[in-house]
Amino acid sequence: MPLTLDHLNTATLPDAMDMLDGLYEHSPWIAEAALLQRPFQSIHQLKYIMTQVLAAAPREAQVALIRAHPELAGKAMVSQSLTAESTNEQSKAGLTHCSADEFARLQQLNADYNAKFGWPFILAVRGARGTGLSRAEIIATFERRLGGHSDFELQECLRNIHRIAEIRLNDKFGLTPDLGNAVWDWQEALADFSEPGYAEQGQLTVTYLSDAHRACAQRIQGWMLDCGFDSAQIDTVGNVVGRYEADAPSKDSPAATPNDSDIDSVQCNQDMGYSPKIYVNRKTLLTGSHYDTVRNAGKYDGRLGIFVPMACVRELHRAGRRLPYAIEVVAFAEEEGQRFKATFLGSGALTGDFKPDWLDQQDSDGITMLTAMQHADRCSTAASHADVLTAIAQLKRDPAQYLGFVEVHIEQGPVLNAMNLPLGVVTSINASVRYSGEVVGTACHAGTTPMQLRQDAACAVAELALYLEHRAAQDGDSVATMGQLNVPAGSVNVVPGRCTFSLDLRAPNDLQRNILERDVLAQLQQICHRRGLHYALHETLRASAAPSAPALQQQWEAAVTALGLPVHRLPSGAGHDAMKLHEVMPQAMLFVRGQNAGISHNPLEATTSDDMQLAVQALMHWMDSIISAG
């Protein structure tokens, strides 16, 4: 019979330890320390507390835990001396049926890894969905991580041990993350569509209005209808728009506050210790994210924010429930700016920010955006610029009809992963500014020019790069990057006379970004003056910060708390569709932990079905907290 939280909370300590036996390989002390913090509000809280017990343990205890684990396809498996849990996991991954070549490769990898790090390689072989990784995936991960740094690899082993314990705990409680699995399956299926030249290499690339992009839109539209949306349409720019209409008003709906009809945003009430409730007129909640990708992308950037609300609507429909407001889920057609230089095109169309000259932009093959729209059946072949612009203008939303915009997104960074937290609440999308620049000195002979007489452009830029690192760290949450640094026509025996570079500066608010920018530009001027150099800068991008609406952010915090998890607030260093919607309506975001150190824009981008389950539950809680005033 499955374990229950009530049984675990009320059992004696010895009995409770028996219930949790086997979670951490030969290391009952972790569960014992966690049980001292009973009662647990949720299984998610128990999982998190166990991660904190291990994080607080000395390094020696952490390494001992890692060494308590058997090698993959190692001697213990061959001798059948694995624990029951490890036997089950290695069997589900097919490691008990390795070919001779696979077994030999794993043995060599085990030996190399142990020699380098001094502990066995740890991987949660049941994978992100819990059904088991393939042997090829296991070997590829083994080979990749063998090249890692020992400090990082120690933490990555511990994170995988926590994932193993999470799956084992689910088994004990008889829990299956069905909602997370649905989100997982949608993302896996959508990743089948990729563009020629990439698909053949197993790479995911879906750029605006390509055939793969059109196929994705049609598939999302079909899934929305299958989930119970009342309508799902593909609009002029390629956004897939699903609507789940509101329930009819009832006589006992909460009364509106005075002048409530004039309030476009929200009002928050935390009286008597209750979670915040938002009282609004009968409007529409807007949510979603983008389905286009960068080249050779991961599967979750953007798409996670489409499928999480889809799962919520599916559950509402299955339960025969309507909320006192409509839900509009938009799969935005374009956010990445990969095919055309028109970033946030999909969300921009909803805010009325579609630039007419975009239609004349050409891709790398010389195809204009208008021609691409015609090919994708977004407009007729006879449609003029004016016709298309008129149709796009009609997509603009009236902010007065909306409660606001909420977006669920994979973090695209390492913070939550390092903290062993599945969810994080976004406080603001960072302000940013970008420059392209060059420093000009004097190219001269590397052997005959004394060091004190040089005007080395590359050294000046390198000095600025080091200053970026130092200055951004002073703020704690600012970041500064020189992603490009080049000596045009440089030679090994020539002092660089010219160096080009890029600057990318970001901070949680405009003022902090502006001060960072001021300091960096002043430093560049000082460096060049001291070295006798000239410089030029060209601003290429400037974006204001998009702080989360306080009431909507509090709703996310309440949803995370309701799951039994601590609230961690963090800014978003990346841009999102929420940034665009922020221009016309309140917005707030929820981040979901990424695996593999939170890497994104990369095939290694990943998250687990358990974390996606929590994201769906958090959004459902968020939606249920909205009460109609109409």
Side-chain angles (χ1 to χ4, degrees):
M1 198 173 169
L3 180 61
T4 68
L5 201 61
D6 183 60
H7 289 153
L8 186 65
N9 280 332
T10 58
T12 65
L13 181 59
D15 287 345
M17 288 185 63
D18 285 343
M19 293 175 186
L20 300 185
D21 181 54
L23 290 183
Y24 290 89
E25 202 85 355
H26 304 296
S27 303
W29 59 270
I30 300 172
E32 181 179 18
L35 287 167
L36 296 178
Q37 301 185 46
R38 290 183 293 174
F40 304 119
Q41 178 185 340
S42 67
I43 186 175
H44 321 300
Q45 184 185 44
L46 168 58
K47 292 175 182 177
Y48 175 73
I49 288 174
M50 289 191 294
T51 69
Q52 297 310 290
V53 169
L54 187 53
R59 180 185 174 96
E60 294 77 13
Q62 295 173 346
V63 172
L65 171 64
I66 296 173
R67 288 174 175 162
H69 284 71
E71 293 181 340
L72 296 182
K75 296 177 180 178
M77 188 193 78
V78 174
S79 65
Q80 298 183 344
S81 59
L82 295 172
T83 63
E85 292 83 6
S86 290
T87 299
N88 177 47
E89 288 151 3
Q90 296 208 25
S91 176
K92 282 196 172 184
L95 292 176
T96 53
H97 296 86
C98 288
S99 68
D101 288 344
E102 289 170 334
F103 186 76
R105 182 60 182 146
L106 283 167
Q107 294 302 299
Q108 184 61 55
L109 287 168
N110 279 324
D112 293 344
Y113 188 94
N114 270 288
K116 178 176 181 178
F117 297 111
W119 57 74
F121 173 73
I122 307 295
L123 178 65
V125 294
R126 284 179 62 180
R129 199 185 186 280
T131 51
L133 298 173
S134 69
R135 294 190 293 277
E137 289 173 318
I138 292 170
I139 291 172
T141 304
F142 212 148
E143 291 172 339
R144 172 175 58 83
R145 283 177 47 191
L146 185 57
H149 186 276
S150 60
D151 289 341
F152 173 82
E153 192 57 26
L154 173 70
Q155 296 304 316
E156 193 69 358
C157 284
L158 296 179
R159 284 188 282 268
N160 274 272
I161 287 172
H162 289 311
R163 175 59 181 159
I164 292 168
E166 175 172 61
I167 294 173
R168 291 177 178 180
L169 192 63
N170 288 349
D171 290 343
K172 287 178 179 292
F173 276 82
L175 296 178
T176 302
D178 293 322
L179 298 173
N181 286 345
V183 174
W184 166 277
D185 292 340
W186 282 325
Q187 287 170 144
E188 287 293 308
L190 199 66
D192 287 342
F193 300 111
S194 186
E195 295 178 23
Y198 296 95
E200 294 81 357
Q201 301 178 59
Q203 297 178 357
L204 175 62
T205 299
V206 178
T207 61
Y208 184 54
L209 295 182
S210 63
D211 289 345
H213 189 268
R214 294 173 63 195
C216 286
Q218 292 166 0
R219 181 62 61 88
I220 293 169
Q221 180 186 33
W223 283 333
M224 283 181 169
L225 294 172
D226 291 343
C227 286
F229 283 80
D230 297 297
S231 63
Q233 299 180 359
I234 305 174
D235 68 19
T236 306
V237 298
N239 295 327
V240 188
V241 183
R243 278 189 65 88
Y244 190 70
E245 300 299 343
D247 196 1
S250 60
K251 295 179 181 179
D252 57 353
S253 294
T257 59
N259 301 320
D260 206 26
S261 60
D262 297 328
I263 297 175
D264 287 340
S265 56
V266 294
Q267 180 177 353
C268 188
N269 180 2
Q270 282 184 287
D271 293 340
M272 302 178 66
Y274 289 113
S275 296
K277 303 292 184 182
I278 295 180
Y279 294 83
V280 293
N281 284 328
R282 193 170 297 274
K283 299 182 181 180
T284 297
L285 173 66
L286 185 62
T287 184
S289 196
H290 63 97
Y291 65 95
D292 67 313
T293 75
V294 298
R295 290 175 171 82
N296 194 19
K299 301 174 183 177
Y300 302 91
D301 176 16
R303 297 174 175 198
L304 181 64
I306 300 167
F307 296 133
V308 166
M310 269 179 52
C312 292
V313 170
R314 190 189 71 172
E315 294 308 295
L316 289 169
H317 178 69
R318 287 180 172 180
R321 289 185 62 204
R322 299 270 176 177
L323 300 178
Y325 55 88
I327 302 169
E328 188 172 325
V329 180
V330 182
F332 293 111
E334 195 283 336
E335 189 252 25
E336 299 288 2
Q338 294 288 302
R339 183 177 182 184
F340 302 100
K341 300 305 178 184
T343 308
F344 299 118
L345 182 154
S347 49
L350 270 59
T351 68
D353 185 18
F354 185 95
K355 296 174 176 55
D357 59 356
W358 282 351
L359 293 179
D360 295 318
Q361 283 191 6
Q362 296 183 0
D363 66 9
S364 59
D365 295 320
I367 299 171
T368 67
M369 185 182 293
L370 178 59
T371 301
M373 286 181 168
Q374 292 169 339
H375 174 73
D377 297 325
R378 295 298 92 221
C379 60
S380 72
T381 55
S384 66
H385 280 64
D387 294 334
V388 176
L389 289 173
T390 298
I392 293 173
Q394 293 173 353
L395 302 180
K396 182 179 179 180
R397 301 301 197 262
D398 177 7
Q401 302 303 313
Y402 287 84
L403 306 177
F405 178 76
V406 293
E407 182 171 2
V408 176
H409 206 283
I410 196 166
E411 183 198 349
Q412 297 184 278
V415 175
L416 297 177
N417 184 259
M419 296 180 68
N420 292 303
L421 274 174
L423 302 176
V425 178
V426 178
T427 56
S428 177
I429 302 173
N430 280 0
S432 62
V433 62
R434 294 179 185 171
Y435 288 94
S436 61
E438 70 171 356
V439 171
V440 179
T442 302
C444 52
H445 198 292
T448 63
T449 308
M451 297 303 294
Q452 71 272 17
L453 298 180
R454 298 183 178 202
Q455 292 177 303
D456 190 323
C459 283
V461 176
E463 185 178 342
L464 180 66
L466 292 175
Y467 175 78
L468 294 181
E469 183 179 53
H470 170 73
R471 173 58 184 82
Q474 292 178 353
D475 290 343
D477 48 10
S478 292
V479 292
T481 306
M482 186 179 288
Q484 297 174 326
L485 192 160
N486 183 48
V487 177
S491 297
V492 67
N493 59 347
V494 176
V495 175
R498 180 169 173 256
C499 185
T500 61
F501 62 96
S502 64
L503 294 176
D504 185 317
L505 312 177
R506 308 189 192 204
N509 58 72
D510 291 358
L511 178 60
Q512 189 171 326
R513 185 271 318 271
N514 293 344
I515 295 174
L516 172 66
E517 177 188 18
R518 179 201 67 191
D519 292 350
V520 168
L521 298 190
Q523 184 71 10
L524 173 61
Q525 183 181 43
Q526 190 272 330
I527 291 171
C528 289
H529 177 74
R530 173 167 40 84
R531 290 175 172 270
L533 305 167
H534 302 284
Y535 72 90
L537 282 177
H538 174 64
E539 183 179 306
T540 58
L541 178 146
R542 183 175 295 271
S544 296
S548 298
L552 302 188
Q553 180 182 324
Q554 288 172 13
Q555 290 301 116
W556 279 128
E557 292 172 6
V560 171
T561 300
L563 293 169
L565 294 170
V567 173
H568 179 72
R569 303 171 185 87
L570 71 167
S572 171
H576 302 285
D577 290 299
M579 197 174 201
K580 198 67 185 174
L581 273 300
H582 175 81
E583 297 174 4
V584 298
M585 65 180 70
Q587 62 80 26
M589 293 185 68
L590 181 75
F591 272 167
V592 180
R593 166 176 54 187
Q595 301 297 301
N596 299 319
I599 194 169
S600 186
H601 286 182
N602 185 297
L604 293 175
E605 179 181 86
T607 187
T608 67
S609 57
D610 286 89
D611 287 359
M612 289 185 278
Q613 173 90 14
L614 289 172
V616 176
Q617 291 175 325
L619 182 55
M620 286 294 297
H621 185 279
W622 199 103
M623 290 178 174
D624 282 335
S625 68
I626 307 293
I627 298 178
S628 170

